[in-house]
Amino acid sequence: MLQPLTLPFEAALAERRFFKLICGASYRNYEVIRWLAEVFTHAGAHAIDVGLDVGSVEAARAGIQAAQAAGAEHEPVVLVSLDAGDDVHFFRITLDRPACTDCGSCLPACRFGVFDLTTALQLDEQNCTGCRECVPVCPTEALSLRPWGRARDYAGLLDACWQAGARGIELHTGSGDESGLAALWRLVGDQRQRWPFISFSVGDYGQGVPAVLALVGEIVGWAGSGIIIQTDGKPISGRSGAASTRAALDLAAQVMDLDLPAFVQVAGGTNDLTGALAQERSLPIHGVGMGSYARAFVGLPDAAQIPSRLDLWQSIHRARELVLSVNP
Ligand code: SF4
Ligand code: SF4
């Protein structure tokens, strides 16, 4: 049995219409986070996912408050992401400067405005989501991903993020290291009353679906009922079309077959078709999280190009389409 429902995000999960905006675990462009939070609060999103970082929480809360000051009735819960070890979401791009020829081939590969070739190639790392799309494009192998932002003081950072207004935690299961995740859970589980929103993000990051399913069973054994399992199909890969979202739905179907007392929310390649495709497959998911696709959909194709205030309502209208697409 699931726990009694008292909060708006819980009702949305139970009604299978939960929408989460994913800003990115490694992403730190506060101006963009604030803008996205404002847009998606107006649009009725139920949660906003940021890194374990006080500045990111404050930026999301500032966007929510700006929307509420302008009449928005919703208040999405802000959640922070923790890494159990080598999780793909906690990487950022790095440049081997001597190997770079400034050829510019990587510029069109990046949807997040990281590269600038005004003179020699420069990286604006705060905009990097770790999507990896630029890496194979470079002819000289000058680009690679490195682990980034792995917290050392989880307890202190969690407390600071709670003080800043975060009320949710997402634990990323990383490379499937059960002992690392269990250790993280021992810390978080002790604080469960403080954090009403607890999610575990699982994906087949090389260890195979049977291992993922076994891990999901372990997680529910530790955490009990009422948690959220995020099935991460193809991380940080959202594009348009049915193919983009298939892996997330396939994994959700296998997790839901376990019939565990947890909500199942999909992410990783999700888009405006995800909800309709789940219904076509008679797959009763509880919600959808979207990141890179959501940004482009609301008119933020490049982090350096926040639309003007005049365009805000157009972006909100587009964001509302996405929120409603979860349960069409
Ligand atoms: S393409 Fe992806 S990994 Fe490469 S710089 Fe841009 S955001 Fe970072
Ligand atoms: S593609 Fe590689 S060599 Fe060319 S500018 Fe980008 S990082 Fe430098």
Side-chain angles (χ1 to χ4, degrees):
M1 288 285 291
L2 295 173
Q3 290 176 334
L5 305 171
T6 53
L7 297 167
F9 75 80
E10 292 176 309
L13 285 160
E15 293 163 12
R16 306 185 189 283
R17 57 179 175 79
F18 172 83
F19 181 94
K20 182 179 79 169
L21 171 72
I22 302 170
C23 293
S26 298
Y27 190 76
R28 294 290 185 275
N29 185 322
Y30 298 147
E31 198 185 346
V32 169
I33 293 172
R34 197 212 62 77
W35 184 86
L36 285 168
E38 182 177 357
V39 167
F40 278 89
T41 298
H42 275 294
H46 306 103
I48 297 174
D49 176 338
V50 299
L52 181 63
D53 168 59
V54 172
S56 298
V57 174
E58 287 174 346
R61 289 292 308 160
I64 292 168
Q65 284 160 2
Q68 289 178 324
E73 293 173 359
H74 301 279
E75 180 155 347
V77 62
V78 177
L79 59 131
V80 292
S81 288
L82 279 69
D83 176 20
D86 294 333
D87 189 284
V88 291
H89 299 86
F90 297 79
F91 281 73
R92 261 189 184 183
I93 199 69
T94 186
L95 175 68
D96 178 358
R97 184 64 252 175
C100 176
T101 59
D102 296 322
C103 69
S105 300
C106 52
L107 266 69
C110 183
R111 296 182 277 166
F112 301 97
V114 173
F115 301 121
D116 176 15
L117 194 53
T118 308
T119 52
L121 186 74
Q122 307 257 0
L123 272 57
D124 189 356
E125 291 186 341
Q126 66 172 352
N127 285 330
C128 181
T129 63
C131 74
R132 291 169 162 69
E133 292 188 16
C134 59
V135 174
V137 169
C138 177
T140 64
E141 299 184 1
L143 295 170
S144 59
L145 274 289
R146 65 180 162 88
W148 187 87
R150 187 107 196 259
R152 294 181 192 280
D153 174 19
Y154 278 129
L157 271 172
L158 279 174
D159 187 56
C161 288
W162 193 89
Q163 301 291 346
R167 291 295 181 269
I169 294 178
E170 185 160 283
L171 293 98
H172 287 257
T173 56
S175 52
D177 172 11
E178 214 179 281
S179 61
L181 189 59
L184 212 48
W185 176 249
R186 280 196 290 279
L187 169 69
V188 171
D190 286 347
Q191 305 186 11
R192 186 141 185 205
Q193 295 309 314
R194 210 179 187 200
W195 300 91
F197 185 110
I198 300 277
S199 172
F200 288 82
S201 183
V202 295
D204 177 8
Y205 310 136
Q207 71 267 45
V209 169
V212 173
L213 298 182
L215 186 60
V216 167
E218 284 290 323
I219 287 167
V220 176
W222 303 327
S225 65
I227 58 163
I228 297 139
I229 301 288
Q230 172 171 277
T231 62
D232 192 19
K234 288 173 69 181
I236 327 171
S237 72
R239 300 276 184 190
S240 56
S244 174
T245 201
R246 193 168 293 136
L249 292 175
D250 287 347
L251 188 54
Q254 294 176 79
V255 170
M256 294 192 97
D257 275 349
L258 300 175
D259 200 22
L260 297 166
F263 299 108
V264 177
Q265 173 243 298
V266 298
T270 42
N271 58 32
D272 56 328
L273 298 178
T274 303
L277 290 166
Q279 289 185 359
E280 253 179 58
R281 295 171 59 162
S282 301
L283 186 60
I285 56 171
H286 297 95
V288 177
M290 287 185 215
S292 44
Y293 184 79
R295 291 180 192 216
F297 196 83
V298 301
L300 188 67
D302 183 313
Q305 299 174 2
I306 292 182
S308 73
R309 299 296 299 181
L310 287 176
D311 295 329
L312 181 68
W313 290 102
Q314 197 177 340
S315 295
I316 292 167
H317 182 73
R318 297 279 285 166
R320 185 72 184 147
E321 271 184 59
L322 281 187
V323 173
L324 294 176
S325 74
V326 174
N327 193 345

